[in-house]
Amino acid sequence: MKKTLLMAAITAALASSVMAQGLVNFSGGTSAATRMSTNSIVGGPSAGLVAGAGSYYFALFASSSQTSINGSTAAISGLSGNYVFNNLGGGTASTGWVLVGIATNNASAGRFQPASQGTASGNQAALNSDNSLTVTGIAGAGAANLVEIGWSASIGTTLAALEAWYAAGAVGNYIGQSAIASVTLGDGGTTATPNPLGTGAGQVGGILLGLTPVPEPGTLALAALGGASLLLFRRKK
């Protein structure tokens, strides 16, 4: 009897521990203010909504301590040194931002939903029964700062692929990052599960994915000529 009671207590404690983690929804586009868009020229204004299911990917990051990314809280698009994935190691940024999950755009223009539908993947745990994501390390009903990034699927479907593309020079694709949202995480009970995207207090709007520049043919030709000249010089030497 005592063993049964002990096991029941342990099971209840484990369940309570799991439920203690904060919950967040990660989807965009339910209103016009939260839809994802792209520009048509480098540094240009919004030109249209993201389209083509699976053509773009999005990642959500959370922190209980950080209120900025490299000193900035503003949304950015195109090339920038303030992306939240800079200096990442094992999914955790040195600045205290942690990856929560990955999403991809669906058939409705400007909208996205979690990429892992009910099953665990390399980017996130399985979705909860209410399609929310668990924010590891921040308790339910606790305050959290959240930021989203988006990028072209041609870069890759994982955070590692995005990091590799960015480190290699980041050209010829779309990328953008939202401003920082500040919300109270859900607890699976009395505290409702929030979405960082919205028009309410602490929420932020959609993301503008900025086109990254591609070197002009003339620039590429000069680079190739320079490399050939250097190689010829070394051979002569």
Side-chain angles (χ1 to χ4, degrees), residues 69-74 76 79-86 166 177:
I69 299 167
N70 297 320
S72 175
T73 60
I76 52 177
L79 293 180
S80 172
N82 285 332
Y83 280 105
V84 68
F85 57 79
N86 289 347
Y166 191 83
Q177 179 173 282

Side-chain angles (χ1 to χ4, degrees), residues 18-98:
V18 171
M19 290 303 292
Q21 301 297 313
L23 304 175
V24 66
N25 289 318
F26 186 37
S27 62
T30 53
S31 68
T34 61
R35 290 175 188 158
M36 310 298 108
S37 59
T38 63
N39 59 22
S40 57
I41 58 173
V42 177
S46 174
L49 299 175
V50 301
S55 298
Y56 299 88
Y57 277 78
F58 303 87
L60 177 66
F61 292 82
S63 177
S64 60
S65 61
Q66 303 302 307
T67 58
S68 68
I69 299 167
N70 297 320
S72 175
T73 60
I76 52 177
S77 65
L79 293 180
S80 172
N82 285 332
Y83 280 105
V84 68
F85 57 79
N86 289 347
N87 303 315
L88 279 175
T92 304
S94 61
T95 52
W97 292 92
V98 179

Side-chain angles (χ1 to χ4, degrees), residues 136-168:
T136 302
I138 306 178
N145 295 320
L146 301 162
V147 64
E148 306 85 27
I149 57 173
W151 67 91
S152 301
S154 54
I155 293 173
T157 62
T158 65
L159 185 61
L162 177 61
E163 291 181 80
W165 169 80
Y166 191 83

